[in-house]
Structure formats: structure tokens, C-alpha cells
Amino acid sequence: MADTTDTGMDEAVSRPRKSSWTYIGPGIVVAATGVGAGDLVATLIAGSKFGYTLMWAAVIGCVVKISLAEATGRWHLATGRTLFEGWRSLGRWTTVYFAVYVVVWGFVYGATAMSSSALPIVALFPDGPGLKTWAVITGLIGLVFVWFNQYAVFERVMTVLIGVMFVVVMYVAIRVVPDVGASFAGLLPVLPDGSLLYTLGLIGGVGGTITMAAYGYWVNAKGWTNTGWMKVMRLDNRVAYLTTGLFVVAMLIIGAELLHSSQIALTKGDRGLIDLGAILEDRFGPTTAKLFLVGFFATSFSSLIGVWHGVSLMFADFVERIRKERVGAAADEAGKTTEEVASGERERSVPFRAYLLWLTFPPISLLFLDEPFGLVVVYGVLGAFFMPFLALTLVWLLNSSRTPKEWRNGILSNVMLTAAGLLFVVLCVQQVRDIPW
């Protein structure tokens, strides 16, 4: 009798929810986190070099990211297990890779994120503190915010930041008066001479970071823990990467209209957006330039707090899995991880807060020192391998008995994930070749 009751309760809990805009949340978070200042500069440079010609690559990139994030969310909802548990089931090699990656990556990324958030503040307030001081301040603000707030508040703040990003980028794109005919012509796949790497970068680069793996954790933190939320998750995910696609298209338009015709070159990296701010001031006046810098700050700071929260959540799950294995936790206990994430337990844990501290304080030393050469090489290699690692392990997990048969990959999912994996392998090789050995 008890079994029948339990089954009935389980069915009620997992009954499909009607997809609704009111549920949207984790997708907004992953879109705000995944699109950083460096991504926007890379897109601007592509627009400045090739005009509207690579618009089609931005659209394909959006579809690729939708497929990857959907697979991550589907694993969490279909299995009741987190992505790290899935990786762990593939062998201990995944643990070794993730452990080294998350430590080295966090150390270097922390300094990068703080500097990126500080750049627009320094440009807005040139008579105030210097770049390093503002970088430390933004890092500490991110630490305090994530430390004392759980997912619900975090999501609301991220929604505000992506709203600012969206309004500013769209405003500037409209202000430069896009060539609508050329935009539509750019949807026809064409590869101009010397554009291959820029094309691959547009497809695979923007919005493609470890935060894609964090998407499943944010889905659980929202309270979505079973297959009843599958339709909702898929709508949420599409909204996320359609938003990302709009950002990419808008930045291509800005690059094509402001830079391509004038043959103006931008500095690579985050400082390229400071260059763009100066160009906007010359063309449209200081108000538009300042508004753009506010959008630049929203872009950078949303990535900072997104990583501070999402990757800390992944690290906390990583530590908890290792701890339970060492104490011999029962198999049924190991299947409750998504519910633990949904309860907020991970966000209050010691490993979560320890990784927050790791992202904040050790990287501050890099702000005052040159990055050690060896660390730059290791960071570059580990980072280059992450997206192929994510795509190809998802193919493995979602075609195996680890996933309930109903929710395994179909033909379309396999084609998209395999294509994404191969694309990221090519980008990985190129990134490794570009590392200053």
C-alpha cells in the first residue's frame, strides 16, 4: 500500500509542467554569465574585418549552444544526478581533469573577471581610484553578494544586469543604423578569405564556457529536479541562447557599421570595448559613450558573479561526491544530488564558500604581478580542452544506460552534439597552437 502511495506521489511530482514565460530564470543566468566582454570584442573584430558576411555563423553558434545546454539540463532532470556524477561514472580520469582544471582556471579567471569589471568603471570615473583598486573592489563585492545570497536573489540581480546589457547593446546597434539588406545577405553561408578561424570562433566561442556545464546546477537550484520540468527547461534554454544570439548579431552590426567601413582596428581583449567607447563618443557624443560603458560593466560584472556562484556550486558538488565515495555512501543516497542542490544545501556548504574565496583572494595577487608564464600555458591548455570535453562526454552519457531510455539522445541531438564536439576539437587545437609556449 505504501509503495502505491509513493508511486502516486512521484507521478504527481514529475507530471509535466506547462512551459511558461513565468518560469524563465536559469537561462537568463547562463546567458548573462556566458557572454563576457572578451566575447563581445571578438564579435566586434569579426564584424570589423568581414562586415555582415559572418552573420550566418552567429546563428549556427546559437543553435549549437542551445543543443549543448539542453543536453546538460536534460541529464540533470532525467537522471536526478548532477553532471559531475555523470562524469565520475565515466572513470577517474574525469575527476583528475576537472580537479586540476577548476583550480588553475579559477585562479587565473578570477583576476581576469575583476580586471574586466574594473575597466569600464575607470573609464567612467577617470579621476577616481586606479584599475587595480577597482578590480579588488568588484571582486570583493562579488564575494560578499554570492556569500550572503542564495539562488533566488542571485537570479533577480542577474536578470537586471542582462536587461541593462540588452537595452544598451540593442540601442547602440539601432543607433549605428544597420544595413538590413546586408544583414539578411549575411545569413547565406560564405567564407571570405582568411575568415575560417573567425567563423569557428563565432560559432563556438561566444557564450561557450564552463558556465554551460553550470546550467544544469542552476536548473536544480531553481527547484526543477525531475522530468516534469523538461518542457519548461527547454523553453528557458531557448530563451537564453536566442538572447545570446541577439547580442552577437547586434555586436556584428556595430562592428560592421562603425569599424568595417572606416577600417578602424580595436585592441584585442576587454580593452577593445574601451576603444569602442571612444569611437562612440566621437560619433554620437558622451551620453551614448557613457551608456555603452554602463552596458560594458553589466556584461563583465554579470560574468563575474555568475562564475562566482555557478562554478562554486559545481566545485561544492565535486567535493561532496568525493567525500561520499570515501565514506562509502549508499547507492540510493548518491541519487539525491539534484534535490540537495535544489534545497540550497550546496550554497551553504564549506566547499562552496572555500571556492568563492579561491576565486577572489589568490587572484588578487595576479593583479599586482605579471601572470607566471607556466600558469598561462597550463590555463590555456586546460581551458581549450573543456568545451570538447563537455560536448563529447554528454554524447557518451546521453547514449548510455546511465540515462533513462525515454530521455536519451535522438538523431538530431546526436548530430548537434557530435558536430559541436568536433568544432570544439578544432578550436582546441587552434587555441593550443596560439598559446605563447
Side-chain angles (χ1 to χ4, degrees):
M1 190 69 180
D3 291 341
T4 303
T5 303
D6 290 343
T7 301
M9 290 176 64
D10 289 344
E11 288 176 354
V13 169
S14 61
R15 186 178 299 127
R17 268 73 170 179
K18 185 177 180 180
S19 57
S20 168
W21 293 98
T22 59
Y23 289 125
I24 298 301
I28 294 298
V29 171
V30 78
T33 306
V35 180
D39 295 320
L40 296 186
V41 173
T43 308
L44 277 171
I45 291 174
S48 71
K49 287 181 176 291
F50 304 104
Y52 292 93
T53 310
L54 300 182
M55 189 74 75
W56 63 273
V59 174
I60 291 178
C62 179
V63 174
V64 167
K65 302 307 187 314
I66 287 173
S67 302
L68 275 168
E70 187 276 339
T72 304
R74 177 156 44 98
W75 166 265
H76 278 245
L77 295 181
T79 65
R81 297 177 179 230
T82 61
L83 186 56
F84 180 75
E85 273 192 286
W87 287 337
R88 185 71 171 159
S89 72
L90 300 179
R92 300 182 72 87
W93 64 274
T94 60
T95 303
V96 174
Y97 170 75
F98 182 78
V100 177
Y101 172 77
V102 80
V103 171
V104 175
W105 181 88
F107 186 35
V108 179
Y109 179 83
T112 302
M114 287 185 262
S115 294
S116 179
S117 297
L119 275 170
I121 302 177
V122 173
L124 282 166
F125 306 104
D127 297 327
L131 178 68
K132 292 175 181 177
T133 301
W134 276 119
V136 172
I137 291 171
T138 58
L140 293 176
I141 290 173
L143 169 69
V144 171
F145 171 73
V146 176
W147 188 291
F148 290 105
N149 291 289
Q150 290 191 269
Y151 179 78
V153 176
F154 165 71
E155 182 189 286
R156 286 195 288 271
V157 171
M158 292 292 276
T159 301
V160 171
L161 290 171
I162 200 172
V164 173
M165 292 163 58
F166 188 86
V167 169
V168 169
V169 171
M170 293 302 151
Y171 166 75
V172 175
I174 293 169
R175 191 76 192 271
V176 300
V177 189
D179 184 331
V180 177
S183 298
F184 281 105
L187 296 175
L188 181 67
V190 174
L191 274 178
D193 290 342
S195 68
L196 179 60
L197 292 179
Y198 289 96
T199 303
L200 293 176
L202 269 181
I203 295 174
V206 180
T209 67
I210 191 174
T211 54
M212 294 199 71
Y215 178 63
Y217 289 85
W218 284 323
V219 162
N220 293 152
K222 180 75 170 175
W224 307 346
T225 58
N226 55 61
T227 56
W229 293 100
M230 198 69 77
K231 285 185 178 179
V232 175
M233 180 275 294
R234 284 171 168 162
L235 174 64
D236 177 76
N237 170 48
R238 287 165 190 158
V239 169
Y241 283 99
L242 286 174
T243 303
T244 301
L246 287 173
F247 281 134
V248 176
V249 168
M251 293 307 283
L252 268 176
I253 289 171
I254 295 167
E257 293 295 340
L258 275 185
L259 309 176
H260 180 61
S261 58
S262 305
Q263 295 298 301
I264 298 173
L266 292 182
T267 306
K268 289 186 177 180
D270 300 347
R271 290 183 180 274
L273 293 184
I274 300 295
D275 295 347
L276 181 61
I279 295 167
L280 288 171
E281 183 168 3
D282 288 341
R283 184 73 63 90
F284 302 113
T287 301
T288 297
K290 284 182 168 55
L291 184 62
F292 176 75
L293 290 172
V294 171
F296 177 5
F297 172 76
T299 301
S300 298
F301 192 66
S302 64
S303 293
L304 185 152
I305 61 174
V307 166
W308 263 230
H309 186 277
V311 183
S312 296
L313 206 54
M314 292 182 69
F315 181 78
D317 184 54
F318 162 72
V319 172
E320 183 64 12
R321 291 300 93 225
I322 301 300
R323 185 193 68 78
K324 285 190 175 181
E325 287 181 16
R326 286 183 176 176
V327 300
D332 59 341
E333 184 184 354
K336 298 177 182 176
T337 51
T338 56
E339 294 178 9
E340 291 172 1
V341 175
S343 72
E345 181 180 325
R346 291 282 187 271
E347 294 165 276
R348 296 186 295 268
S349 68
V350 172
F352 180 89
R353 289 176 170 172
Y355 195 73
L356 270 178
L357 296 173
W358 176 255
L359 279 168
T360 307
F361 289 105
I364 286 175
S365 65
L366 289 182
L367 296 172
F368 297 92
L369 300 170
D370 291 332
E371 292 180 1
F373 177 76
L375 187 63
V376 171
V377 172
V378 174
Y379 172 79
V381 171
L382 290 171
F385 275 94
F386 184 79
M387 290 305 288
F389 170 78
L390 175 63
L392 297 176
T393 54
L394 282 171
V395 172
W396 191 347
L397 290 170
L398 292 169
N399 282 289
S400 72
S401 58
R402 298 172 181 85
T403 304
K405 189 172 183 179
E406 179 185 0
W407 301 108
R408 290 178 198 166
N409 278 355
I411 294 175
L412 180 60
S413 292
N414 275 325
V415 168
M416 292 305 300
L417 289 177
T418 302
L422 294 175
L423 164 69
F424 289 125
V425 166
V426 174
L427 287 173
C428 171
V429 171
Q430 183 59 38
Q431 283 178 269
V432 171
R433 287 177 59 188
D434 289 343
I435 292 170
W437 298 93

